[in-house]
Amino acid sequence: TPAEPGLTEAAPTPQAPSFILQVRSYPDPDSADARRAEIILNGLSADVVKTVEGGQTWYRVISGPYDSQEAAVIAQQTLQHSGIDSIVVKR
């Protein structure tokens, strides 16, 4: 049977923007990891990214990447229902 039109998946181009949810930065890894676990319990991916700013180490909790702003906003609303605030960041 011939493939239905519109179902062929094109390989994503490297230039395609992706979106992440930036949840929060914590000064200690345990707090960041606890929040990461909460996000995973909501069925979303989550990572902790260690950053150093002005000599201070921060553990930033992010979710994603999402391939569209719409997908990121849906995930943001999912977290909002659990009392987890986040911002959508294009990267």
Side-chain angles (χ1 to χ4, degrees), residues 4-46:
E4 289 183 51
L7 288 186
T8 54
E9 287 191 53
T13 55
Q15 293 86 0
S18 63
F19 297 83
I20 59 166
L21 293 182
Q22 191 168 304
V23 179
R24 216 182 124 182
S25 293
Y26 297 88
D28 69 292
D30 292 340
S31 297
D33 204 53
R35 179 49 48 108
R36 183 182 79 91
E38 286 180 45
I39 295 168
I40 291 170
L41 286 173
N42 278 279
L44 300 171
S45 66

Side-chain angles (χ1 to χ4, degrees), residues 20-22 24-29 32-33 36 46-53 56-64 91:
I20 59 166
L21 293 182
Q22 191 168 304
R24 216 182 124 182
S25 293
Y26 297 88
D28 69 292
D33 204 53
R36 183 182 79 91
D47 287 298
V48 176
V49 180
K50 182 178 170 182
T51 61
V52 178
E53 291 168 23
Q56 169 78 54
T57 301
W58 292 95
Y59 298 88
R60 181 175 295 145
V61 182
I62 63 168
S63 178
R91 63 174 186 184

Side-chain angles (χ1 to χ4, degrees), residues 20-23 76 85-89:
I20 59 166
L21 293 182
Q22 191 168 304
V23 179
Q76 182 183 40
D85 289 327
S86 63
I87 56 171
V88 176
V89 178

Side-chain angles (χ1 to χ4, degrees), residues 74-88:
I74 290 167
Q76 182 183 40
Q77 290 169 346
T78 299
L79 292 181
Q80 189 76 54
H81 288 303
S82 294
I84 301 172
D85 289 327
S86 63
I87 56 171
V88 176

